[in-house]
Amino acid sequence: MNRVGIGYDVHQLVEGRPCVLGGVTIPHKTGLDGHSDADALIHAIADAILGAVGESDIGHHFPNTDPRWKNVPSRIFLEQIREILHGLGATLNNIDATLICEAPKINPHIKAMKAVIAEALMIRIDQVGIKATTNETMGFIGRQEGIAAMAVASVDMP
Ligand code: MG
Protein backbone atom coordinates (compact mmCIF):
# COMPACT_ATOMS: atom_id res chain seq x y z
CA MET A 1 0.00 0.00 0.00
CA ASN A 2 1.32 3.43 -0.93
CA ARG A 3 1.18 5.94 1.90
CA VAL A 4 2.02 9.64 2.06
CA GLY A 5 2.92 11.91 4.96
CA ILE A 6 3.35 15.64 5.46
CA GLY A 7 5.76 17.51 7.72
CA TYR A 8 6.31 21.15 8.70
CA ASP A 9 8.86 22.77 10.97
CA VAL A 10 10.12 26.21 11.86
CA HIS A 11 13.05 27.39 13.95
CA GLN A 12 14.11 30.82 15.07
CA LEU A 13 17.28 32.44 13.69
CA VAL A 14 19.52 33.73 16.48
CA GLU A 15 23.09 34.94 16.81
CA GLY A 16 25.73 32.53 18.07
CA ARG A 17 24.30 29.35 16.56
CA PRO A 18 25.45 27.50 13.42
CA CYS A 19 23.03 27.51 10.50
CA VAL A 20 22.51 23.82 9.75
CA LEU A 21 20.01 22.87 7.05
CA GLY A 22 19.72 19.48 5.43
CA GLY A 23 22.76 18.41 7.44
CA VAL A 24 24.91 21.11 5.82
CA THR A 25 26.42 23.95 7.85
CA ILE A 26 25.87 27.14 5.86
CA PRO A 27 27.97 30.22 6.66
CA HIS A 28 25.51 32.87 7.90
CA LYS A 29 25.34 35.66 10.48
CA THR A 30 22.64 33.80 12.43
CA GLY A 31 21.80 30.17 13.04
CA LEU A 32 18.82 28.07 14.01
CA ASP A 33 17.89 27.86 17.67
CA GLY A 34 16.71 24.62 19.23
CA HIS A 35 17.57 21.62 21.38
CA SER A 36 19.22 19.60 18.62
CA ASP A 37 21.01 21.36 15.76
CA ALA A 38 17.51 22.74 14.94
CA ASP A 39 17.74 21.59 11.32
CA ALA A 40 14.21 22.56 10.25
CA LEU A 41 14.54 20.85 6.86
CA ILE A 42 15.44 17.47 8.32
CA HIS A 43 12.79 17.84 11.04
CA ALA A 44 10.08 18.45 8.42
CA ILE A 45 11.28 15.44 6.41
CA ALA A 46 11.36 13.30 9.57
CA ASP A 47 7.75 14.21 10.40
CA ALA A 48 6.64 13.52 6.83
CA ILE A 49 8.10 10.01 6.95
CA LEU A 50 6.74 9.32 10.44
CA GLY A 51 3.32 10.56 9.34
CA ALA A 52 3.34 8.34 6.26
CA VAL A 53 3.63 5.21 8.40
CA GLY A 54 1.18 6.43 11.07
CA GLU A 55 3.83 7.00 13.74
CA SER A 56 3.87 9.79 16.33
CA ASP A 57 5.81 12.92 15.48
CA ILE A 58 9.49 13.77 15.89
CA GLY A 59 8.89 15.41 19.28
CA HIS A 60 7.55 12.11 20.59
CA HIS A 61 10.45 10.02 19.30
CA PHE A 62 13.20 12.54 20.08
CA PRO A 63 11.90 14.79 22.90
CA ASN A 64 13.64 18.14 23.43
CA THR A 65 13.75 17.35 27.15
CA ASP A 66 16.08 14.38 26.52
CA PRO A 67 19.79 15.26 26.97
CA ARG A 68 20.67 12.54 24.41
CA TRP A 69 19.42 14.84 21.62
CA LYS A 70 21.09 18.05 22.87
CA ASN A 71 22.98 19.66 19.96
CA VAL A 72 23.03 16.39 18.00
CA PRO A 73 23.11 16.48 14.19
CA SER A 74 19.54 15.86 13.05
CA ARG A 75 20.68 13.32 10.48
CA ILE A 76 20.73 10.93 13.46
CA PHE A 77 16.93 11.24 13.60
CA LEU A 78 16.71 10.15 9.97
CA GLU A 79 18.95 7.16 10.68
CA GLN A 80 16.69 6.14 13.56
CA ILE A 81 13.56 6.64 11.46
CA ARG A 82 15.13 4.43 8.79
CA GLU A 83 15.25 1.70 11.44
CA ILE A 84 11.58 2.30 12.32
CA LEU A 85 10.69 1.86 8.63
CA HIS A 86 12.79 -1.27 8.47
CA GLY A 87 10.92 -2.69 11.48
CA LEU A 88 7.58 -2.03 9.77
CA GLY A 89 8.73 -3.54 6.47
CA ALA A 90 8.19 -0.13 4.85
CA THR A 91 10.29 1.32 2.04
CA LEU A 92 10.65 4.95 1.08
CA ASN A 93 9.65 5.86 -2.47
CA ASN A 94 10.66 9.51 -2.32
CA ILE A 95 10.66 12.62 -0.22
CA ASP A 96 10.19 16.18 -1.38
CA ALA A 97 10.74 19.33 0.64
CA THR A 98 10.68 23.10 0.37
CA LEU A 99 12.70 25.49 2.52
CA ILE A 100 11.24 28.95 3.04
CA CYS A 101 13.79 31.57 4.00
CA GLU A 102 14.95 35.01 3.00
CA ALA A 103 18.61 34.24 3.68
CA PRO A 104 21.05 32.52 3.46
CA LYS A 105 21.02 31.48 -0.19
CA ILE A 106 20.06 27.81 -0.28
CA ASN A 107 20.60 26.83 -3.91
CA PRO A 108 24.40 26.41 -3.75
CA HIS A 109 23.95 23.85 -0.94
CA ILE A 110 21.08 21.73 -2.24
CA LYS A 111 23.31 19.10 -3.86
CA ALA A 112 25.17 18.56 -0.58
CA MET A 113 21.91 18.46 1.42
CA LYS A 114 20.48 15.79 -0.88
CA ALA A 115 23.61 13.69 -0.44
CA VAL A 116 23.41 13.86 3.38
CA ILE A 117 19.71 13.02 3.48
CA ALA A 118 19.94 10.22 0.91
CA GLU A 119 22.83 8.65 2.82
CA ALA A 120 21.04 8.85 6.19
CA LEU A 121 17.90 7.27 4.75
CA MET A 122 19.81 4.85 2.51
CA ILE A 123 17.97 5.97 -0.62
CA ARG A 124 19.20 7.34 -3.94
CA ILE A 125 19.86 11.04 -4.36
CA ASP A 126 17.18 11.20 -7.08
CA GLN A 127 14.63 10.11 -4.46
CA VAL A 128 15.25 13.34 -2.53
CA GLY A 129 13.70 16.62 -3.71
CA ILE A 130 14.73 19.90 -2.10
CA LYS A 131 13.64 23.33 -3.28
CA ALA A 132 13.93 26.75 -1.71
CA THR A 133 11.88 29.90 -1.92
CA THR A 134 11.72 33.23 -0.10
CA ASN A 135 8.72 34.72 1.64
CA GLU A 136 9.00 37.86 -0.54
CA THR A 137 10.23 39.82 2.55
CA MET A 138 6.88 39.34 4.34
CA GLY A 139 6.29 38.20 7.92
CA PHE A 140 8.76 36.59 10.34
CA ILE A 141 10.50 34.72 7.55
CA GLY A 142 10.78 37.88 5.49
CA ARG A 143 12.31 39.67 8.49
CA GLN A 144 14.86 36.82 8.78
CA GLU A 145 13.63 35.90 12.27
CA GLY A 146 13.19 32.26 11.33
CA ILE A 147 13.30 29.57 8.66
CA ALA A 148 10.47 27.19 7.81
CA ALA A 149 10.41 23.92 5.94
CA MET A 150 7.71 21.64 4.63
CA ALA A 151 8.01 18.13 3.30
CA VAL A 152 6.11 15.17 1.95
CA ALA A 153 7.11 11.53 1.94
CA SER A 154 5.83 8.57 -0.02
CA VAL A 155 6.25 5.14 1.53
CA ASP A 156 5.30 1.61 0.48
CA MET A 157 4.04 -0.42 3.41
CA PRO A 158 2.79 -3.98 3.50
MG1 MG B 1 12.26 21.21 14.81
Side-chain angles (χ1 to χ4, degrees):
M1 185 183 177
N2 180 241
R3 314 260 297 233
V4 294
I6 184 171
Y8 172 82
D9 196 30
V10 61
H11 281 271
Q12 220 175 332
L13 281 167
V14 296
E15 283 177 17
R17 288 270 300 183
C19 187
V20 183
L21 287 165
V24 175
T25 303
I26 301 174
H28 193 50
K29 61 182 190 293
T30 53
L32 295 164
D33 195 24
H35 183 67
S36 63
D37 63 1
D39 188 330
L41 176 60
I42 285 185
H43 294 184
I45 290 169
D47 260 352
I49 300 169
L50 289 167
V53 297
E55 280 282 331
S56 302
D57 66 18
I58 186 172
H60 171 85
H61 287 279
F62 314 104
N64 63 10
T65 48
D66 189 334
R68 261 188 307 169
W69 313 123
K70 177 96 180 134
N71 291 325
V72 296
S74 292
R75 79 161 70 92
I76 286 172
F77 302 152
L78 294 183
E79 289 164 7
Q80 303 242 337
I81 288 167
R82 189 184 76 214
E83 292 306 312
I84 292 172
L85 293 187
H86 185 71
L88 294 167
T91 53
L92 260 175
N93 294 324
N94 74 301
I95 58 167
D96 187 28
T98 298
L99 267 168
I100 309 143
C101 67
E102 220 62 36
K105 283 248 176 292
I106 301 300
N107 259 333
H109 307 284
I110 284 181
K111 202 174 162 191
M113 292 176 182
K114 286 183 178 183
V116 169
I117 290 161
E119 190 185 357
L121 291 169
M122 285 187 174
I123 56 176
R124 299 186 315 272
I125 286 173
D126 69 2
Q127 290 172 289
V128 182
I130 300 173
K131 297 93 60 203
T133 187
T134 71
N135 220 34
E136 296 286 340
T137 74
M138 293 181 289
F140 73 89
I141 294 172
R143 292 189 297 271
Q144 302 187 35
E145 293 166 10
I147 287 178
M150 54 180 85
V152 292
S154 165
V155 172
D156 268 330
M157 206 165 147

